[in-house]
mmCIF file of all heavy atoms in Angstrom:
data_model
loop_
_atom_site.group_PDB
_atom_site.id
_atom_site.type_symbol
_atom_site.label_atom_id
_atom_site.label_comp_id
_atom_site.label_asym_id
_atom_site.label_seq_id
_atom_site.Cartn_x
_atom_site.Cartn_y
_atom_site.Cartn_z
ATOM 1 N N TYR B 16 -11.713 11.242 18.402
ATOM 2 C CA TYR B 16 -11.334 12.460 19.153
ATOM 3 C C TYR B 16 -11.555 12.173 20.672
ATOM 4 O O TYR B 16 -12.489 11.535 21.111
ATOM 5 C CB TYR B 16 -12.320 13.574 18.758
ATOM 6 C CG TYR B 16 -12.214 14.147 17.436
ATOM 7 C CD1 TYR B 16 -13.134 15.054 16.994
ATOM 8 C CD2 TYR B 16 -11.165 13.876 16.544
ATOM 9 C CE1 TYR B 16 -13.068 15.652 15.659
ATOM 10 C CE2 TYR B 16 -11.066 14.382 15.234
ATOM 11 C CZ TYR B 16 -12.041 15.325 14.858
ATOM 12 O OH TYR B 16 -11.939 15.899 13.612
ATOM 13 N N GLU B 17 -10.658 12.759 21.477
ATOM 14 C CA GLU B 17 -10.826 12.668 22.924
ATOM 15 C C GLU B 17 -11.242 14.076 23.414
ATOM 16 O O GLU B 17 -10.671 15.097 22.994
ATOM 17 C CB GLU B 17 -9.497 12.336 23.587
ATOM 18 C CG GLU B 17 -9.602 12.227 25.097
ATOM 19 C CD GLU B 17 -8.470 11.456 25.747
ATOM 20 O OE1 GLU B 17 -8.246 10.334 25.324
ATOM 21 O OE2 GLU B 17 -7.676 12.081 26.475
ATOM 22 N N VAL B 18 -12.327 14.064 24.169
ATOM 23 C CA VAL B 18 -12.842 15.395 24.650
ATOM 24 C C VAL B 18 -12.915 15.328 26.187
ATOM 25 O O VAL B 18 -12.933 14.277 26.817
ATOM 26 C CB VAL B 18 -14.313 15.699 24.145
ATOM 27 C CG1 VAL B 18 -14.299 15.730 22.609
ATOM 28 C CG2 VAL B 18 -15.302 14.627 24.586
ATOM 29 N N MET B 19 -12.905 16.516 26.761
ATOM 30 C CA MET B 19 -12.865 16.696 28.255
ATOM 31 C C MET B 19 -14.248 17.090 28.687
ATOM 32 O O MET B 19 -14.937 17.970 27.968
ATOM 33 C CB MET B 19 -11.872 17.617 28.690
ATOM 34 C CG MET B 19 -10.395 17.182 28.370
ATOM 35 S SD MET B 19 -9.147 18.374 28.834
ATOM 36 C CE MET B 19 -9.255 19.639 27.578
ATOM 37 N N PRO B 20 -14.838 16.658 29.781
ATOM 38 C CA PRO B 20 -16.203 16.884 30.084
ATOM 39 C C PRO B 20 -16.427 18.252 30.804
ATOM 40 O O PRO B 20 -16.765 18.348 32.013
ATOM 41 C CB PRO B 20 -16.627 15.755 31.085
ATOM 42 C CG PRO B 20 -15.330 15.419 31.755
ATOM 43 C CD PRO B 20 -14.240 15.637 30.620
ATOM 44 N N PHE B 21 -16.360 19.310 30.067
ATOM 45 C CA PHE B 21 -16.537 20.660 30.497
ATOM 46 C C PHE B 21 -18.000 21.082 30.176
ATOM 47 O O PHE B 21 -18.749 20.433 29.404
ATOM 48 C CB PHE B 21 -15.638 21.653 29.930
ATOM 49 C CG PHE B 21 -14.137 21.440 30.243
ATOM 50 C CD1 PHE B 21 -13.132 21.868 29.508
ATOM 51 C CD2 PHE B 21 -13.822 20.659 31.359
ATOM 52 C CE1 PHE B 21 -11.779 21.682 29.862
ATOM 53 C CE2 PHE B 21 -12.562 20.350 31.763
ATOM 54 C CZ PHE B 21 -11.477 20.912 30.983
ATOM 55 N N ALA B 22 -18.431 22.200 30.745
ATOM 56 C CA ALA B 22 -19.831 22.689 30.519
ATOM 57 C C ALA B 22 -20.134 22.919 29.017
ATOM 58 O O ALA B 22 -21.230 22.773 28.597
ATOM 59 C CB ALA B 22 -20.020 23.953 31.330
ATOM 60 N N SER B 23 -19.054 23.367 28.276
ATOM 61 C CA SER B 23 -19.315 23.722 26.895
ATOM 62 C C SER B 23 -19.027 22.508 25.958
ATOM 63 O O SER B 23 -19.258 22.698 24.680
ATOM 64 C CB SER B 23 -18.375 24.816 26.520
ATOM 65 O OG SER B 23 -17.021 24.446 26.582
ATOM 66 N N THR B 24 -18.665 21.397 26.352
ATOM 67 C CA THR B 24 -18.292 20.360 25.490
ATOM 68 C C THR B 24 -19.351 19.822 24.593
ATOM 69 O O THR B 24 -19.225 19.650 23.390
ATOM 70 C CB THR B 24 -17.693 19.125 26.329
ATOM 71 O OG1 THR B 24 -16.582 19.587 27.212
ATOM 72 C CG2 THR B 24 -17.143 18.077 25.408
ATOM 73 N N GLU B 25 -20.543 19.612 25.171
ATOM 74 C CA GLU B 25 -21.699 18.993 24.380
ATOM 75 C C GLU B 25 -21.986 20.003 23.193
ATOM 76 O O GLU B 25 -22.159 19.597 22.046
ATOM 77 C CB GLU B 25 -22.836 18.837 25.262
ATOM 78 C CG GLU B 25 -24.068 18.287 24.526
ATOM 79 C CD GLU B 25 -25.211 18.050 25.425
ATOM 80 O OE1 GLU B 25 -25.205 18.498 26.600
ATOM 81 O OE2 GLU B 25 -26.278 17.485 24.937
ATOM 82 N N ARG B 26 -22.041 21.293 23.505
ATOM 83 C CA ARG B 26 -22.452 22.280 22.442
ATOM 84 C C ARG B 26 -21.294 22.185 21.355
ATOM 85 O O ARG B 26 -21.652 22.293 20.235
ATOM 86 C CB ARG B 26 -22.467 23.679 23.080
ATOM 87 C CG ARG B 26 -22.648 24.766 22.030
ATOM 88 C CD ARG B 26 -22.668 26.159 22.687
ATOM 89 N NE ARG B 26 -21.485 26.411 23.483
ATOM 90 C CZ ARG B 26 -20.335 26.725 22.975
ATOM 91 N NH1 ARG B 26 -20.174 26.887 21.620
ATOM 92 N NH2 ARG B 26 -19.322 27.049 23.693
ATOM 93 N N LYS B 27 -20.074 22.193 21.777
ATOM 94 C CA LYS B 27 -18.982 22.235 20.767
ATOM 95 C C LYS B 27 -19.006 20.941 19.901
ATOM 96 O O LYS B 27 -18.750 21.021 18.712
ATOM 97 C CB LYS B 27 -17.683 22.287 21.459
ATOM 98 C CG LYS B 27 -17.378 23.716 22.062
ATOM 99 C CD LYS B 27 -15.981 23.769 22.728
ATOM 100 C CE LYS B 27 -15.598 25.132 23.231
ATOM 101 N NZ LYS B 27 -14.280 25.203 23.877
ATOM 102 N N VAL B 28 -19.299 19.875 20.544
ATOM 103 C CA VAL B 28 -19.367 18.585 19.721
ATOM 104 C C VAL B 28 -20.402 18.687 18.711
ATOM 105 O O VAL B 28 -20.209 18.352 17.514
ATOM 106 C CB VAL B 28 -19.542 17.367 20.654
ATOM 107 C CG1 VAL B 28 -19.990 16.147 19.845
ATOM 108 C CG2 VAL B 28 -18.238 17.061 21.488
#
Side-chain angles (χ1 to χ4, degrees):
Y16 291 171
E17 183 163 301
V18 301
M19 297 177 286
F21 297 159
S23 62
T24 305
E25 181 180 6
R26 174 184 57 78
K27 288 182 176 181
V28 168

